[in-house]
């Protein structure tokens, strides 16, 4: 199980509403490897046939099958960064 903060849920709802691609879904996938496991990210992408689908805080997530086990204990939050507000997946194994 993973958690989603209210600010991250609101940001993802806004992403979906402003997307020009009707078939894109909120997807959790890997953006590389580091700190003992994959670095995870939240993005709008085409769904894949083997995605695992979970709903948290009224947001439906398509989770790439190969990284699902790495979400255990993670928190998805909206954080301010040098590049503006971004979604961040804080994993239980410490990758930032």
């Amino acid at each position: 199980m993973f958690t989603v903060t209210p600010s991250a849920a609101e940001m993802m709802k806004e992403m979906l509403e402003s997307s020009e691609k009707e078939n894109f879904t909120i997807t959790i996938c890997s953006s590389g490897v580091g700190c003992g496991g994959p670095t995870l990210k939240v993005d709008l992408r085409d769904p894949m046939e083997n995605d695992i689908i979970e709903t948290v805080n009224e947001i439906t997530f398509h989770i790439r099958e190969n990284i699902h086990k790495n979400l255990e204990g993670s928190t998805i939050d909206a954080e301010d960064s040098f590049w503006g507000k971004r979604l961040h997946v804080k994993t239980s194994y410490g990758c930032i």
Side-chain angles (χ1 to χ4, degrees):
M1 178 58 102
F2 63 98
T3 59
V4 178
T5 66
S7 60
E10 186 62 34
M11 189 173 176
M12 287 182 265
K13 287 176 185 174
E14 290 171 7
M15 286 170 59
L16 284 170
E17 290 172 1
S18 65
S19 175
E20 295 179 12
K21 304 259 183 167
E22 290 182 22
N23 58 327
F24 274 19
T25 61
I26 297 289
T27 303
I28 303 174
C29 53
S30 175
S31 64
V33 178
C35 309
T39 305
L40 306 180
K41 72 176 185 174
V42 179
D43 203 357
L44 284 176
R45 296 196 175 191
D46 281 318
M48 294 179 74
E49 187 176 307
N50 62 344
D51 283 349
I52 296 167
I53 300 171
E54 293 186 18
T55 301
V56 178
N57 284 18
E58 300 178 13
I59 303 290
T60 300
F61 292 89
H62 284 248
I63 305 163
R64 297 301 192 233
E65 183 179 43
N66 60 336
I67 61 95
H68 184 261
K69 66 181 179 275
N70 299 97
L71 268 177
E72 186 64 36
S74 296
T75 300
I76 300 173
D77 196 6
E79 296 182 345
D80 289 318
S81 74
F82 177 78
W83 299 276
K85 198 163 194 153
R86 294 183 176 245
L87 292 168
H88 173 73
V89 182
K90 182 179 181 188
T91 60
S92 60
Y93 46 86
C95 281
I96 55 174

Coordinates of all heavy atoms in Angstrom, one line a residue:
M1 N 0.8 -1.2 0.0 CA 0.0 0.0 0.0 C 0.9 1.2 0.0 O 1.9 1.3 0.6 CB -0.9 0.0 1.2 CG -1.8 1.2 1.3 SD -2.9 1.5 0.0 CE -4.4 0.9 0.6
F2 N 0.4 2.3 -0.7 CA 1.1 3.6 -0.7 C 0.1 4.6 -0.4 O -1.1 4.4 -0.4 CB 1.8 3.8 -2.1 CG 0.9 3.9 -3.2 CD1 0.4 5.1 -3.7 CD2 0.4 2.7 -3.8 CE1 -0.5 5.2 -4.8 CE2 -0.5 2.8 -4.9 CZ -0.9 4.0 -5.4
T3 N 0.6 5.8 0.0 CA -0.3 6.9 0.4 C -0.1 8.1 -0.6 O 1.0 8.2 -1.2 CB 0.0 7.4 1.8 OG1 1.3 7.8 1.9 CG2 -0.3 6.3 2.8
V4 N -1.1 8.9 -0.6 CA -1.1 10.1 -1.5 C -1.6 11.3 -0.7 O -2.6 11.2 -0.1 CB -2.0 9.9 -2.7 CG1 -2.1 11.1 -3.6 CG2 -1.6 8.7 -3.5
T5 N -0.8 12.3 -0.6 CA -1.2 13.5 0.1 C -2.3 14.2 -0.6 O -2.5 14.1 -1.8 CB 0.0 14.5 0.3 OG1 0.4 15.0 -0.9 CG2 1.1 13.8 1.0
P6 N -3.1 15.0 0.1 CA -4.2 15.8 -0.5 C -3.7 16.7 -1.6 O -4.3 16.9 -2.7 CB -4.9 16.5 0.6 CG -4.6 15.7 1.8 CD -3.2 15.1 1.6
S7 N -2.5 17.3 -1.4 CA -2.0 18.3 -2.4 C -1.6 17.5 -3.6 O -1.7 18.1 -4.7 CB -0.8 19.1 -1.8 OG 0.2 18.3 -1.4
A8 N -1.0 16.3 -3.5 CA -0.6 15.5 -4.7 C -1.9 15.1 -5.4 O -1.9 15.1 -6.7 CB 0.2 14.3 -4.3
A9 N -2.9 14.7 -4.7 CA -4.2 14.2 -5.3 C -4.8 15.4 -6.2 O -5.2 15.2 -7.3 CB -5.2 13.7 -4.3
E10 N -4.8 16.6 -5.6 CA -5.3 17.7 -6.3 C -4.5 18.0 -7.5 O -5.0 18.3 -8.6 CB -5.3 19.0 -5.3 CG -6.0 20.2 -5.9 CD -7.4 20.0 -6.3 OE1 -8.1 19.2 -5.5 OE2 -7.9 20.5 -7.3
M11 N -3.2 17.9 -7.4 CA -2.3 18.2 -8.6 C -2.6 17.2 -9.7 O -2.6 17.5 -10.9 CB -0.8 18.2 -8.2 CG 0.1 18.6 -9.2 SD 1.8 18.7 -8.5 CE 2.7 19.2 -9.9
M12 N -2.8 15.9 -9.3 CA -3.0 14.9 -10.3 C -4.4 15.1 -11.0 O -4.5 14.9 -12.2 CB -2.9 13.5 -9.7 CG -1.5 13.1 -9.5 SD -1.3 11.5 -8.8 CE -1.2 11.9 -7.0
K13 N -5.4 15.5 -10.3 CA -6.7 15.8 -10.8 C -6.6 16.9 -11.9 O -7.2 16.9 -12.9 CB -7.7 16.2 -9.7 CG -8.2 15.0 -8.9 CD -9.1 15.5 -7.8 CE -9.4 14.3 -6.9 NZ -10.2 14.7 -5.7
E14 N -5.8 18.0 -11.5 CA -5.6 19.1 -12.5 C -4.8 18.6 -13.7 O -5.1 19.0 -14.8 CB -4.8 20.2 -11.8 CG -5.5 20.9 -10.7 CD -4.7 21.9 -9.9 OE1 -3.5 22.1 -10.2 OE2 -5.2 22.4 -8.9
M15 N -3.9 17.7 -13.5 CA -3.1 17.1 -14.7 C -4.1 16.4 -15.6 O -4.0 16.6 -16.9 CB -2.1 16.1 -14.2 CG -0.9 16.7 -13.6 SD 0.2 15.5 -12.8 CE 0.6 14.4 -14.2
L16 N -5.0 15.6 -15.1 CA -6.0 14.9 -15.9 C -6.9 15.8 -16.6 O -7.2 15.7 -17.8 CB -6.8 13.9 -15.1 CG -6.1 12.6 -14.7 CD1 -6.9 11.8 -13.6 CD2 -5.8 11.7 -15.9
E17 N -7.4 16.9 -15.9 CA -8.3 17.8 -16.5 C -7.7 18.6 -17.6 O -8.4 19.0 -18.6 CB -8.9 18.8 -15.4 CG -9.8 18.1 -14.5 CD -10.2 18.9 -13.3 OE1 -9.7 20.1 -13.2 OE2 -10.9 18.5 -12.4
S18 N -6.4 18.9 -17.5 CA -5.8 19.8 -18.5 C -5.1 18.9 -19.7 O -4.6 19.5 -20.6 CB -4.7 20.7 -17.9 OG -3.7 19.9 -17.3
S19 N -5.1 17.6 -19.5 CA -4.5 16.8 -20.6 C -5.3 16.8 -21.9 O -6.5 16.7 -21.9 CB -4.4 15.3 -20.1 OG -3.9 14.5 -21.1
E20 N -4.6 16.9 -23.0 CA -5.2 16.9 -24.3 C -5.3 15.5 -24.8 O -6.0 15.3 -25.8 CB -4.4 17.8 -25.2 CG -4.4 19.2 -24.9 CD -3.6 20.1 -25.8 OE1 -3.2 19.6 -26.9 OE2 -3.4 21.3 -25.4
K21 N -4.7 14.5 -24.2 CA -4.7 13.1 -24.6 C -5.8 12.4 -23.7 O -5.6 12.2 -22.5 CB -3.4 12.5 -24.4 CG -2.3 13.2 -25.1 CD -1.9 12.5 -26.3 CE -0.8 13.1 -27.0 NZ -0.2 12.4 -28.0
E22 N -6.9 12.0 -24.3 CA -8.0 11.4 -23.6 C -7.7 10.1 -23.0 O -8.2 9.7 -22.0 CB -9.2 11.3 -24.5 CG -9.8 12.6 -24.8 CD -11.1 12.5 -25.7 OE1 -11.7 11.4 -25.7 OE2 -11.5 13.5 -26.3
N23 N -6.8 9.3 -23.7 CA -6.5 8.0 -23.2 C -5.3 7.9 -22.2 O -5.1 6.8 -21.7 CB -6.1 7.1 -24.4 CG -4.9 7.6 -25.2 OD1 -4.7 8.8 -25.3 ND2 -4.2 6.7 -25.8
F24 N -4.7 9.0 -21.9 CA -3.6 9.0 -20.9 C -4.2 8.8 -19.5 O -5.3 9.2 -19.2 CB -2.8 10.3 -20.9 CG -1.7 10.3 -21.9 CD1 -1.7 9.5 -23.0 CD2 -0.7 11.3 -21.8 CE1 -0.7 9.5 -23.9 CE2 0.3 11.3 -22.7 CZ 0.3 10.4 -23.8
T25 N -3.4 8.1 -18.7 CA -3.8 7.8 -17.3 C -2.7 8.2 -16.3 O -1.6 8.4 -16.8 CB -4.1 6.3 -17.1 OG1 -2.9 5.6 -17.4 CG2 -5.2 5.8 -18.0
I26 N -3.1 8.4 -15.1 CA -2.0 8.7 -14.1 C -1.3 7.4 -13.9 O -1.9 6.3 -13.6 CB -2.7 9.1 -12.7 CG1 -3.4 10.4 -12.9 CG2 -1.6 9.2 -11.6 CD1 -2.5 11.6 -13.1
T27 N 0.0 7.4 -14.2 CA 0.8 6.2 -14.2 C 2.0 6.3 -13.3 O 2.7 7.4 -13.2 CB 1.3 5.9 -15.6 OG1 0.2 5.8 -16.5 CG2 2.1 4.6 -15.7
I28 N 2.3 5.3 -12.5 CA 3.5 5.2 -11.7 C 4.5 4.3 -12.4 O 4.1 3.1 -12.7 CB 3.2 4.8 -10.2 CG1 2.2 5.7 -9.6 CG2 4.5 4.7 -9.4 CD1 1.7 5.2 -8.2
C29 N 5.7 4.8 -12.6 CA 6.6 4.0 -13.4 C 8.0 4.4 -12.9 O 8.2 5.2 -12.0 CB 6.5 4.3 -14.9 SG 6.6 6.1 -15.3
S30 N 9.0 3.7 -13.4 CA 10.4 4.0 -13.0 C 11.0 5.0 -13.9 O 10.8 5.1 -15.1 CB 11.2 2.7 -13.1 OG 12.6 2.9 -12.8
S31 N 11.9 5.9 -13.3 CA 12.6 6.8 -14.1 C 14.1 6.6 -14.0 O 14.9 7.4 -14.3 CB 12.3 8.3 -13.6 OG 12.8 8.5 -12.3
G32 N 14.5 5.4 -13.6 CA 15.9 5.0 -13.4 C 16.1 4.2 -12.2 O 15.2 3.7 -11.6
V33 N 17.4 4.0 -11.8 CA 17.7 3.2 -10.6 C 18.6 4.0 -9.7 O 19.5 4.7 -10.2 CB 18.4 1.9 -11.0 CG1 18.8 1.1 -9.8 CG2 17.5 1.1 -12.0
G34 N 18.5 3.8 -8.4 CA 19.3 4.5 -7.4 C 18.9 4.1 -6.0 O 17.8 3.6 -5.8
C35 N 19.8 4.2 -5.1 CA 19.5 4.1 -3.7 C 18.9 2.7 -3.3 O 18.1 2.6 -2.5 CB 18.6 5.1 -3.1 SG 19.1 6.8 -3.5
G36 N 19.3 1.7 -4.0 CA 18.9 0.3 -3.7 C 17.6 -0.1 -4.4 O 17.1 -1.2 -4.1
G37 N 17.1 0.7 -5.3 CA 15.9 0.3 -6.1 C 15.6 1.3 -7.1 O 16.3 2.3 -7.3
P38 N 14.5 1.1 -7.8 CA 14.1 2.1 -8.9 C 13.7 3.4 -8.3 O 13.1 3.5 -7.2 CB 13.0 1.4 -9.6 CG 12.4 0.4 -8.6 CD 13.5 0.0 -7.7
T39 N 14.0 4.5 -9.0 CA 13.5 5.8 -8.7 C 12.1 5.9 -9.4 O 12.0 5.6 -10.6 CB 14.4 6.9 -9.3 OG1 15.7 6.7 -8.8 CG2 13.9 8.2 -8.9
L40 N 11.1 6.2 -8.6 CA 9.7 6.1 -9.2 C 9.2 7.5 -9.5 O 9.6 8.5 -8.8 CB 8.8 5.5 -8.1 CG 9.2 4.1 -7.7 CD1 8.2 3.5 -6.7 CD2 9.4 3.1 -8.8
K41 N 8.3 7.6 -10.5 CA 7.7 8.9 -10.8 C 6.3 8.7 -11.2 O 5.9 7.6 -11.5 CB 8.5 9.6 -11.9 CG 8.4 9.0 -13.3 CD 9.1 9.8 -14.3 CE 8.9 9.3 -15.7 NZ 9.4 10.2 -16.7
V42 N 5.5 9.8 -11.1 CA 4.1 9.8 -11.5 C 4.1 10.6 -12.8 O 4.6 11.7 -12.9 CB 3.3 10.5 -10.4 CG1 1.8 10.5 -10.9 CG2 3.4 9.7 -9.1
D43 N 3.4 10.1 -13.8 CA 3.3 10.8 -15.1 C 2.0 10.4 -15.8 O 1.3 9.5 -15.4 CB 4.5 10.2 -16.0 CG 4.9 11.2 -17.1 OD1 4.3 12.2 -17.2 OD2 5.9 10.8 -17.8
L44 N 1.6 11.2 -16.8 CA 0.5 10.9 -17.6 C 1.0 10.0 -18.8 O 1.9 10.5 -19.5 CB -0.2 12.1 -18.2 CG -1.0 12.9 -17.2 CD1 -1.6 14.2 -17.8 CD2 -2.2 12.0 -16.7
R45 N 0.5 8.8 -19.0 CA 1.0 7.9 -20.0 C -0.1 7.1 -20.5 O -1.2 6.9 -19.9 CB 2.1 7.0 -19.5 CG 3.3 7.7 -19.1 CD 4.5 6.8 -18.9 NE 5.7 7.6 -18.6 CZ 6.8 7.2 -18.7 NH1 7.0 5.9 -19.0 NH2 7.9 7.9 -18.4
D46 N 0.1 6.5 -21.7 CA -0.8 5.5 -22.2 C -0.8 4.3 -21.3 O 0.2 3.8 -20.8 CB -0.4 5.0 -23.6 CG -0.8 6.0 -24.7 OD1 -1.9 6.5 -24.6 OD2 0.1 6.2 -25.6
P47 N -2.0 3.7 -21.0 CA -2.1 2.5 -20.1 C -1.5 1.3 -20.9 O -1.5 1.3 -22.1 CB -3.5 2.4 -19.8 CG -4.3 3.1 -20.9 CD -3.3 4.2 -21.4
M48 N -0.9 0.4 -20.1 CA -0.4 -0.8 -20.7 C -1.3 -2.0 -20.2 O -1.9 -1.9 -19.1 CB 1.0 -1.1 -20.3 CG 2.0 0.0 -20.9 SD 3.7 -0.3 -20.4 CE 4.1 -1.7 -21.4
E49 N -1.4 -3.0 -21.0 CA -2.2 -4.2 -20.7 C -2.0 -4.8 -19.4 O -2.9 -5.2 -18.7 CB -2.1 -5.2 -21.8 CG -3.0 -6.4 -21.7 CD -2.9 -7.3 -22.9 OE1 -3.0 -6.8 -24.1 OE2 -2.7 -8.5 -22.6
N50 N -0.7 -4.9 -18.9 CA -0.3 -5.5 -17.7 C -0.2 -4.6 -16.5 O 0.3 -5.0 -15.4 CB 0.9 -6.4 -17.9 CG 2.1 -5.5 -18.2 OD1 2.0 -4.4 -18.6 ND2 3.3 -6.1 -18.1
D51 N -0.7 -3.3 -16.6 CA -0.6 -2.4 -15.5 C -1.5 -2.9 -14.4 O -2.6 -3.5 -14.6 CB -1.2 -1.0 -15.9 CG -0.2 -0.2 -16.7 OD1 0.9 -0.5 -16.8 OD2 -0.7 0.8 -17.2
I52 N -1.1 -2.7 -13.1 CA -1.9 -3.0 -12.0 C -2.6 -1.7 -11.6 O -2.0 -0.6 -11.6 CB -1.0 -3.4 -10.8 CG1 -0.3 -4.7 -11.2 CG2 -1.8 -3.5 -9.5 CD1 0.9 -5.1 -10.3
I53 N -3.9 -1.8 -11.4 CA -4.7 -0.6 -11.2 C -5.2 -0.5 -9.8 O -5.7 -1.5 -9.2 CB -6.0 -0.6 -12.2 CG1 -5.5 -0.6 -13.6 CG2 -6.9 0.6 -11.9 CD1 -6.6 -0.9 -14.6
E54 N -4.9 0.6 -9.1 CA -5.3 0.8 -7.8 C -5.9 2.2 -7.6 O -5.4 3.1 -8.4 CB -4.1 0.7 -6.8 CG -3.6 -0.7 -6.7 CD -2.5 -0.9 -5.6 OE1 -2.4 0.0 -4.7 OE2 -1.8 -1.9 -5.7
T55 N -6.8 2.4 -6.7 CA -7.4 3.7 -6.5 C -7.0 4.2 -5.1 O -7.3 3.4 -4.1 CB -8.9 3.7 -6.7 OG1 -9.2 3.3 -8.1 CG2 -9.5 5.1 -6.5
V56 N -6.4 5.4 -4.9 CA -6.1 5.9 -3.6 C -6.5 7.4 -3.7 O -6.2 8.1 -4.6 CB -4.6 5.8 -3.4 CG1 -4.2 6.4 -2.1 CG2 -4.1 4.3 -3.4
N57 N -7.2 7.8 -2.6 CA -7.6 9.2 -2.5 C -8.4 9.7 -3.8 O -8.2 10.8 -4.3 CB -6.5 10.2 -2.3 CG -6.0 10.2 -0.8 OD1 -6.2 9.2 -0.1 ND2 -5.2 11.2 -0.5
E58 N -9.2 8.8 -4.3 CA -10.1 9.1 -5.4 C -9.3 9.2 -6.7 O -9.8 9.7 -7.7 CB -11.0 10.3 -5.2 CG -11.9 10.1 -4.0 CD -12.8 11.3 -3.7 OE1 -12.8 12.2 -4.6 OE2 -13.4 11.4 -2.7
I59 N -8.0 8.8 -6.8 CA -7.2 8.9 -8.0 C -7.0 7.4 -8.4 O -6.5 6.6 -7.6 CB -5.9 9.6 -7.7 CG1 -6.0 11.0 -7.2 CG2 -5.0 9.5 -9.0 CD1 -6.6 12.0 -8.2
T60 N -7.3 7.1 -9.7 CA -7.0 5.8 -10.2 C -5.6 5.8 -10.8 O -5.3 6.6 -11.7 CB -8.0 5.4 -11.2 OG1 -9.3 5.4 -10.6 CG2 -7.7 4.0 -11.8
F61 N -4.7 4.9 -10.3 CA -3.3 4.8 -10.7 C -3.2 3.5 -11.6 O -3.7 2.5 -11.3 CB -2.4 4.7 -9.5 CG -2.3 5.9 -8.7 CD1 -3.2 6.1 -7.6 CD2 -1.4 6.8 -8.9 CE1 -3.1 7.2 -6.8 CE2 -1.3 8.0 -8.2 CZ -2.2 8.2 -7.1
H62 N -2.4 3.7 -12.7 CA -1.9 2.6 -13.4 C -0.5 2.4 -13.0 O 0.3 3.3 -13.2 CB -2.0 2.8 -14.9 CG -3.4 2.7 -15.4 ND1 -3.8 1.7 -16.3 CD2 -4.5 3.4 -15.2 CE1 -5.1 1.8 -16.5 NE2 -5.6 2.9 -15.9
I63 N -0.2 1.3 -12.4 CA 1.2 1.0 -11.9 C 1.8 0.0 -12.8 O 1.3 -1.1 -13.0 CB 1.1 0.5 -10.4 CG1 0.3 1.5 -9.6 CG2 2.5 0.3 -9.9 CD1 -0.2 1.0 -8.3
R64 N 3.0 0.3 -13.3 CA 3.7 -0.7 -14.1 C 4.0 -1.9 -13.3 O 4.5 -1.8 -12.1 CB 5.0 -0.1 -14.7 CG 4.8 1.1 -15.6 CD 3.9 0.8 -16.8 NE 4.0 1.8 -17.8 CZ 2.9 2.4 -18.3 NH1 1.7 2.0 -18.0 NH2 3.0 3.3 -19.3
E65 N 3.7 -3.0 -13.8 CA 3.8 -4.3 -13.1 C 5.2 -4.5 -12.5 O 5.3 -5.0 -11.4 CB 3.4 -5.4 -14.1 CG 3.4 -6.8 -13.4 CD 3.0 -7.9 -14.4 OE1 3.5 -7.8 -15.6 OE2 2.2 -8.7 -14.1
N66 N 6.2 -4.2 -13.2 CA 7.6 -4.5 -12.7 C 8.0 -3.6 -11.5 O 9.0 -4.0 -10.9 CB 8.6 -4.4 -13.8 CG 8.7 -3.0 -14.5 OD1 7.7 -2.3 -14.4 ND2 9.8 -2.7 -15.1
I67 N 7.3 -2.6 -11.2 CA 7.7 -1.7 -10.1 C 6.7 -1.7 -8.9 O 6.9 -1.1 -7.9 CB 8.0 -0.3 -10.5 CG1 6.8 0.4 -11.1 CG2 9.2 -0.2 -11.4 CD1 6.0 1.2 -10.1
H68 N 5.6 -2.5 -9.1 CA 4.5 -2.5 -8.1 C 5.0 -2.8 -6.7 O 4.7 -2.1 -5.7 CB 3.4 -3.4 -8.5 CG 2.2 -3.4 -7.6 ND1 2.1 -4.3 -6.6 CD2 1.2 -2.5 -7.5 CE1 1.0 -4.0 -5.9 NE2 0.4 -2.9 -6.4
K69 N 5.9 -3.8 -6.6 CA 6.4 -4.2 -5.2 C 7.2 -3.1 -4.6 O 7.3 -3.0 -3.4 CB 7.2 -5.5 -5.3 CG 8.5 -5.3 -6.1 CD 9.2 -6.6 -6.2 CE 10.5 -6.5 -7.0 NZ 10.3 -6.6 -8.4
N70 N 7.8 -2.2 -5.4 CA 8.6 -1.1 -4.8 C 7.8 0.1 -4.2 O 8.3 1.0 -3.6 CB 9.6 -0.6 -5.9 CG 10.5 -1.6 -6.4 OD1 10.2 -2.2 -7.4 ND2 11.6 -1.9 -5.7
L71 N 6.5 0.0 -4.4 CA 5.6 1.1 -3.9 C 5.2 0.9 -2.4 O 4.8 1.8 -1.8 CB 4.3 1.2 -4.7 CG 4.3 2.1 -5.9 CD1 3.0 2.0 -6.6 CD2 4.6 3.5 -5.5
E72 N 5.4 -0.3 -1.9 CA 5.1 -0.6 -0.5 C 5.7 0.5 0.4 O 6.9 0.7 0.5 CB 5.5 -2.0 -0.1 CG 5.0 -2.4 1.2 CD 3.5 -2.6 1.3 OE1 2.9 -3.0 0.3 OE2 3.0 -2.3 2.4
G73 N 4.8 1.1 1.2 CA 5.2 2.1 2.2 C 5.6 3.5 1.6 O 6.1 4.3 2.3
S74 N 5.4 3.7 0.3 CA 5.8 5.0 -0.3 C 4.7 6.0 -0.1 O 3.6 5.7 0.2 CB 6.0 4.8 -1.8 OG 7.1 3.9 -2.1
T75 N 5.1 7.3 -0.3 CA 4.2 8.4 -0.2 C 4.4 9.3 -1.4 O 5.5 9.6 -1.8 CB 4.5 9.3 1.1 OG1 4.3 8.5 2.2 CG2 3.6 10.5 1.2
I76 N 3.3 9.6 -2.0 CA 3.3 10.6 -3.2 C 2.9 11.9 -2.7 O 1.8 12.0 -2.1 CB 2.4 10.1 -4.3 CG1 2.9 8.7 -4.8 CG2 2.4 11.1 -5.5 CD1 2.0 8.0 -5.8
D77 N 3.7 12.9 -2.9 CA 3.4 14.3 -2.5 C 3.7 15.3 -3.6 O 4.5 15.0 -4.5 CB 4.3 14.6 -1.2 CG 3.8 15.8 -0.4 OD1 2.8 16.3 -0.7 OD2 4.5 16.1 0.5
A78 N 3.1 16.4 -3.4 CA 3.4 17.6 -4.3 C 4.4 18.5 -3.6 O 4.1 18.9 -2.5 CB 2.2 18.3 -4.7
E79 N 5.6 18.7 -4.2 CA 6.6 19.5 -3.5 C 7.1 20.6 -4.4 O 7.1 20.5 -5.7 CB 7.8 18.6 -3.2 CG 7.5 17.5 -2.2 CD 8.7 16.7 -1.9 OE1 9.7 16.7 -2.6 OE2 8.7 15.9 -0.9
D80 N 7.4 21.7 -3.8 CA 8.0 22.8 -4.5 C 9.5 22.5 -4.8 O 10.2 22.0 -3.9 CB 7.9 24.1 -3.7 CG 6.5 24.6 -3.6 OD1 5.8 24.6 -4.7 OD2 6.1 25.1 -2.6
S81 N 9.9 22.8 -6.0 CA 11.3 22.5 -6.4 C 11.8 23.7 -7.2 O 11.1 24.7 -7.4 CB 11.4 21.3 -7.3 OG 10.9 21.5 -8.6
F82 N 13.1 23.7 -7.5 CA 13.7 24.7 -8.4 C 12.9 24.9 -9.6 O 12.8 26.1 -10.2 CB 15.1 24.3 -8.7 CG 15.8 25.3 -9.5 CD1 16.3 26.5 -9.0 CD2 16.0 25.1 -10.9 CE1 17.0 27.4 -9.9 CE2 16.7 26.0 -11.7 CZ 17.2 27.2 -11.2
W83 N 12.3 23.9 -10.2 CA 11.6 23.9 -11.4 C 10.1 24.2 -11.3 O 9.3 24.1 -12.2 CB 11.8 22.6 -12.2 CG 13.2 22.4 -12.5 CD1 13.9 22.9 -13.6 CD2 14.1 21.6 -11.8 NE1 15.2 22.5 -13.5 CE2 15.4 21.7 -12.4 CE3 14.0 20.9 -10.6 CZ2 16.5 21.1 -12.0 CZ3 15.2 20.2 -10.1 CH2 16.4 20.3 -10.8
G84 N 9.6 24.4 -10.1 CA 8.2 24.6 -9.8 C 7.6 23.4 -9.0 O 8.4 22.6 -8.5
K85 N 6.3 23.4 -8.9 CA 5.7 22.3 -8.1 C 5.7 21.0 -8.9 O 5.3 21.0 -10.1 CB 4.2 22.7 -7.8 CG 3.6 21.9 -6.7 CD 2.4 22.6 -6.1 CE 2.1 21.9 -4.8 NZ 1.4 22.7 -3.9
R86 N 6.1 19.9 -8.3 CA 6.3 18.6 -8.9 C 5.8 17.5 -8.0 O 5.8 17.7 -6.8 CB 7.7 18.3 -9.3 CG 8.2 19.3 -10.3 CD 9.6 18.9 -10.7 NE 10.1 19.8 -11.8 CZ 10.4 19.4 -13.0 NH1 10.3 18.1 -13.3 NH2 10.8 20.3 -13.9
L87 N 5.4 16.4 -8.6 CA 5.0 15.2 -7.8 C 6.3 14.5 -7.5 O 7.2 14.3 -8.3 CB 4.1 14.3 -8.6 CG 2.7 14.9 -8.9 CD1 1.9 14.1 -9.9 CD2 1.9 15.0 -7.6
H88 N 6.3 14.0 -6.2 CA 7.5 13.3 -5.8 C 7.1 12.0 -5.1 O 6.1 12.0 -4.3 CB 8.3 14.2 -4.8 CG 9.4 13.5 -4.1 ND1 10.6 13.2 -4.7 CD2 9.5 13.0 -2.8 CE1 11.4 12.6 -3.9 NE2 10.7 12.4 -2.7
V89 N 7.7 10.9 -5.4 CA 7.5 9.6 -4.8 C 8.6 9.3 -3.8 O 9.7 9.1 -4.2 CB 7.4 8.5 -5.8 CG1 7.1 7.1 -5.1 CG2 6.3 8.8 -6.9
K90 N 8.3 9.4 -2.5 CA 9.2 9.1 -1.5 C 9.1 7.6 -1.1 O 8.1 7.2 -0.6 CB 9.0 9.9 -0.2 CG 10.1 9.7 0.8 CD 9.9 10.5 2.0 CE 11.0 10.2 3.0 NZ 10.8 10.8 4.3
T91 N 10.1 6.8 -1.5 CA 10.0 5.4 -1.3 C 10.5 5.0 0.1 O 11.2 5.8 0.8 CB 10.9 4.6 -2.3 OG1 12.3 5.1 -2.2 CG2 10.4 4.9 -3.8
S92 N 10.1 3.8 0.5 CA 10.5 3.3 1.8 C 12.0 2.9 1.9 O 12.5 2.8 3.0 CB 9.6 2.1 2.2 OG 9.8 1.1 1.3
Y93 N 12.6 2.8 0.7 CA 14.0 2.4 0.7 C 14.9 3.6 0.5 O 16.1 3.5 0.3 CB 14.4 1.3 -0.3 CG 13.7 1.5 -1.7 CD1 14.4 2.3 -2.6 CD2 12.5 1.0 -2.0 CE1 13.8 2.5 -3.9 CE2 11.9 1.1 -3.2 CZ 12.6 1.9 -4.2 OH 12.0 2.1 -5.4
G94 N 14.4 4.8 0.6 CA 15.2 6.0 0.7 C 15.5 6.8 -0.5 O 16.2 7.8 -0.5
C95 N 15.1 6.3 -1.7 CA 15.5 7.1 -2.9 C 14.6 8.4 -2.9 O 13.5 8.4 -2.6 CB 15.2 6.3 -4.2 SG 16.4 5.1 -4.5
I96 N 15.2 9.5 -3.3 CA 14.5 10.7 -3.4 C 14.4 11.2 -4.8 O 15.0 10.8 -5.7 CB 15.2 11.8 -2.5 CG1 16.6 12.0 -3.0 CG2 15.1 11.5 -1.1 CD1 17.3 13.2 -2.3

